Amino acid sequence: MKAKGKSLASKGLTIAGVLLAMGLLIWSCGPREGAQEGTAVQQIIKQRNLDPDDVKAALETYMPPGRPDPYLIFMSGGHSGQVIVAGLPSMRILKVIGVFTPEPWQGYGFDDDTKAMLKASSPQGETLTWGDSHHPNLSQTNGDYDGQFLFINDKANARVAVISLKDFTTHQIVRSELMNSDHGGTFVTPNTEYIIETSQYPVPIGGTYAPLNQKSFDDKYRGIAVFWKFDRTKGLIDKSQSFAIELPPYMQDLSDAGKLASYGWSFTNSFDTERAYGGDMEGKPPLEQGASQNEYDYLHVFNWKKAAEVAQQDGKYRMVDGMRLIPLKVAAEEGILYFVPEPKSPHGVDVTPDGKYICVNGKLDTHVTVFSFAKIKAAIDAKKFEGRDPYGVPIIAFKDALHGQAEIGLGPLHTQFDGRGYAYTSLFIESKVAKWSLETLKVVEKIPVQYNVGHLCIPGSNTEHPWGQYLVALDKWSIDRFKNVGPLLPQDEQLIDISGEHMHLLYNMPLGVGEPHYAQAIRSDLVKPWSIYKMGTNALTHEIDPNATPSEDKARIERHGNVVDVYMTEVRSHMRPDIVEVNQGDTVHFHVTNIEQTQDATHGFGVGEYDVNLSMEPGKTANVTIVVNRPGVFPFYCTEFCSALHLEMAGYLLVKPTGATSTASAR
Ligand code: CUK
Ligand code: CUA
């Protein structure tokens, strides 16, 4: 595979040309100094063996110290279970948000509230310690990003998380017993009315058991689509107003919501309409083979507006795990669900910014198939179907829904839009990004990427108004791109400039903290986070914590039997109280408040051997409970280097064995 694919001659670039173009060679200062600077720059270029493309790319991605990036990109962390936030175009990582996996630096999953949240979303009673985050989606108002919330799914455990962009922390994790894996989420409707989550691997509904044979698979196993209702004022999903739709046991893959022309509808594609389920040691083909027989699978077309109405009508839904479930039969009869044949075991489905077209990426087919929503709607209105699937769902004929097919290349997976009439599709097998025209459906250019590209991300691509300046290719393999750091290689996130007529590669970002699947990027100025917390804020509820200790004179220790409440304040550079003496077996609640209101004056609260670590941002209150079964002396200390006397910001937790003399009485 050719790495850079550049031809200097064809682009007619010279170092001097690039520098001149960037206004670098001639400084605003006098000509003599300018010439000297130019020489110095040229020396660096020579020493570092750079060519004109390198220099141009470096200049386009470099952010001078103190200057923030114009875009923020939110990348899923794959089986790290987290979300990674970076700046574009510098590709500097700004934060890893703890979502489905505990994250000690943020104290996420260590305080009582986030620990309880992770536990409550774990189905087996034991707290899950990982997730598989795939598809981040930014909240929208009128079809554009509003910078308020981010949602993400956990494919492994069928969970959906709500992240507040007020503080870039996870605020809610929900889960429905209806499914136990998801992939077609999270995708939001244009006003974030609903967050779509669809299952990937069919299972018996409601976490029950059914044997795995064809009859049982066909009759008992089901796919599910959940439409989680989002309450924007609370910033939380409202399970009681959410609903689900039962689906045939196909493997539903990705989703996207309609907008403008297709508002009120959503689309989910599928593979394995063969209903294969593996069994390679039982004489059946492995799933990859069994699921790849049919030339067409089914694009699922949902009328979610209609479904929301039907979910309120008595007798049309049943309650499962506290959620309204619309049975498959009702969905088919009420005009909630339709199928359109789609080639062939496709992967991503992406609605164009005008909402008129639905692009299905072929995966095993070399095309992006472009369906017309107007045609789909006309067929539905005319009740023009070519038949029904074995579960009674009406099928719209391929030709009745088709707008056209773009011949793209090998392994089309995901498509993004620049808002200027072009679409960009990742080609996994070719390791290329193809740029093609939405008007002519013809490829205009391909650029090699390194290597095996999955998703792409153009800022604002899934909104009505993509910004379209950059494209990030999220590559799965990086083989020869970076210094070898052992058999587990970093992922390669490649920044590509798409602002001009030709695409050109700007930057390779090695990512060694997770495997991003999808990413979304937003203009930075649209995100307006807090710089500090209001005094005593609970970071999970965003309300004043009932146990907040807003000033040092309120710091205290209260004992009620064998329960001890420690109301602690933190300020540079001490904790109050700094000696906490308890008895073996006591339950100790630490209620810690950072009473600072200075930006970045973050403290920590770490207790060794008891697995406690909190991140205490200015104004935050956090609670952590431990049962002190192990006697001894345990230093606690501030875990964030906050001041010159940070090391002195410490104290002692004394756990007195039964019958011992107390420190106080011995004094
Ligand atoms: S998926 Cu990973 S490359 Cu989960 Cu959207 Cu396509
Ligand atoms: Cu407070 Cu270190």
Side-chain angles (χ1 to χ4, degrees), residues 356-651:
K356 289 183 180 167
Y357 302 105
I358 301 123
C359 300
V360 170
N361 304 277
K363 193 168 80 184
L364 301 185
D365 178 84
T366 55
H367 298 97
V368 172
T369 298
V370 184
F371 293 109
S372 153
F373 181 72
K375 288 187 178 178
I376 291 174
K377 187 72 183 8
I380 290 170
D381 290 345
K383 295 195 164 40
K384 188 171 179 227
F385 305 122
E386 66 174 11
R388 290 177 182 263
D389 89 324
Y391 299 87
V393 180
I395 301 167
I396 300 164
F398 180 69
K399 62 169 177 24
D400 289 343
L402 185 69
H403 169 67
Q405 285 188 294
E407 173 85 49
I408 301 288
L410 299 179
L413 292 190
H414 296 286
T415 294
Q416 293 275 283
F417 308 101
D418 66 5
R420 297 189 302 271
Y422 291 102
Y424 301 74
T425 300
S426 56
L427 294 167
F428 183 86
I429 296 170
E430 281 186 38
S431 283
K432 282 186 183 141
V433 174
K435 174 181 176 181
W436 52 282
S437 160
L438 281 169
E439 199 186 325
T440 64
L441 306 188
K442 292 271 184 293
V443 172
V444 294
E445 192 179 28
K446 282 187 185 180
I447 186 171
V449 286
Q450 291 75 33
Y451 303 94
N452 298 3
V453 55
H455 274 274
L456 306 173
C457 169
I458 292 177
S461 171
N462 74 320
T463 70
E464 292 172 17
H465 304 96
W467 289 290
Q469 186 178 357
Y470 298 111
L471 177 147
V472 178
L474 296 96
D475 305 326
K476 303 297 180 188
W477 288 34
S478 64
I479 315 173
D480 54 5
R481 296 294 87 185
F482 310 108
K483 165 69 188 160
N484 178 15
V485 288
L488 180 59
L489 273 62
Q491 311 284 309
D492 188 9
E493 317 312 324
Q494 292 186 296
L495 181 71
I496 294 168
D497 180 357
I498 56 165
S499 61
E501 195 191 335
H502 297 290
M503 297 183 275
H504 62 269
L505 178 65
L506 296 178
Y507 194 76
N508 277 38
M509 174 209 212
L511 198 58
V513 294
E515 181 202 341
H517 286 262
Y518 184 38
Q520 287 197 339
I522 181 173
R523 238 175 51 205
S524 300
D525 63 314
L526 295 174
V527 182
K528 299 185 176 72
W530 295 324
S531 51
I532 56 167
Y533 286 111
K534 205 199 273 177
M535 184 63 76
T537 301
N538 178 305
L540 189 72
T541 62
H542 281 178
E543 296 185 344
I544 302 302
D545 192 286
N547 297 309
T549 310
S551 58
E552 287 201 301
D553 61 333
K554 303 257 165 47
R556 65 201 185 275
I557 299 174
E558 288 179 7
R559 172 177 282 281
H560 312 277
N562 61 353
V563 176
V564 181
D565 286 277
V566 181
Y567 297 87
M568 180 184 283
T569 57
E570 293 193 318
V571 66
R572 276 163 288 171
S573 303
H574 57 274
M575 289 123 159
R576 182 182 170 85
D578 60 2
I579 296 175
V580 176
E581 190 171 56
V582 295
N583 300 319
Q584 183 179 0
D586 282 350
T587 298
V588 185
H589 302 290
F590 288 98
H591 314 289
V592 186
T593 302
N594 178 350
I595 59 171
E596 308 236 16
Q597 292 281 275
T598 307
Q599 188 177 11
D600 213 359
T602 296
H603 298 287
F605 179 70
V607 189
E609 302 188 28
Y610 274 107
D611 201 31
V612 168
N613 185 45
L614 305 177
S615 171
M616 300 302 309
E617 296 90 77
K620 177 166 151 184
T621 294
N623 305 284
V624 61
T625 301
I626 51 176
V627 178
V628 287
N629 282 327
R630 204 178 141 212
V633 176
F634 305 92
F636 55 81
Y637 67 99
C638 170
T639 42
E640 176 94 14
F641 205 111
C642 51
S643 64
L645 296 175
H646 153 78
L647 298 174
E648 289 83 346
M649 193 167 172

Side-chain angles (χ1 to χ4, degrees), residues 159-283:
R159 293 184 286 181
V160 167
V162 181
I163 295 162
S164 167
L165 297 183
K166 280 277 170 247
D167 56 355
F168 284 56
T169 63
T170 303
H171 279 252
Q172 187 186 25
I173 301 178
V174 294
R175 184 178 184 279
S176 158
E177 283 291 342
L178 287 167
M179 58 173 106
N180 50 23
S181 65
D182 72 26
H183 195 238
T186 54
F187 295 93
V188 303
T189 56
N191 282 300
T192 323
E193 297 97 331
Y194 291 97
I195 299 143
I196 302 168
E197 178 198 25
T198 59
S199 59
Q200 178 120 76
Y201 305 115
V203 290
I205 285 183
T208 52
Y209 171 82
L212 192 50
N213 56 56
Q214 196 66 58
K215 183 165 183 340
S216 171
F217 190 80
D218 294 352
D219 295 348
K220 299 268 171 51
Y221 287 52
R222 288 293 179 267
I224 291 286
V226 172
F227 292 76
W228 292 102
K229 179 74 187 159
F230 188 59
D231 181 338
R232 192 186 285 271
T233 51
K234 291 204 181 99
L236 297 171
I237 284 170
D238 182 352
K239 191 172 182 179
S240 72
Q241 295 302 309
S242 306
F243 64 88
I245 302 169
E246 179 187 355
L247 302 174
Y250 311 142
M251 293 184 182
Q252 285 76 23
D253 204 18
L254 283 120
S255 308
D256 202 2
K259 51 174 152 310
L260 295 169
S262 51
Y263 177 77
W265 296 75
S266 72
F267 311 93
T268 299
N269 50 22
S270 66
F271 57 95
D272 197 26
T273 48
E274 297 86 348
R275 286 174 279 165
Y277 51 84
D280 52 5
M281 285 177 66
E282 287 76 24

Side-chain angles (χ1 to χ4, degrees), residues 301-363:
V301 178
F302 295 96
N303 185 341
W304 62 257
K305 279 245 155 195
K306 185 77 190 278
E309 287 166 25
V310 170
Q312 298 296 329
Q313 296 166 8
D314 286 346
K316 300 240 170 105
Y317 64 87
R318 62 189 179 101
M319 294 299 287
V320 182
D321 182 35
M323 182 165 314
R324 292 152 200 268
L325 172 68
I326 301 173
L328 188 42
K329 194 162 170 286
V330 176
E333 281 168 3
E334 294 279 341
I336 290 169
L337 176 63
Y338 302 91
F339 287 154
V340 178
E342 53 177 4
K344 174 188 182 174
S345 298
H347 195 39
V349 54
D350 300 282
V351 177
T352 53
D354 59 12
K356 289 183 180 167
Y357 302 105
I358 301 123
C359 300
V360 170
N361 304 277
K363 193 168 80 184

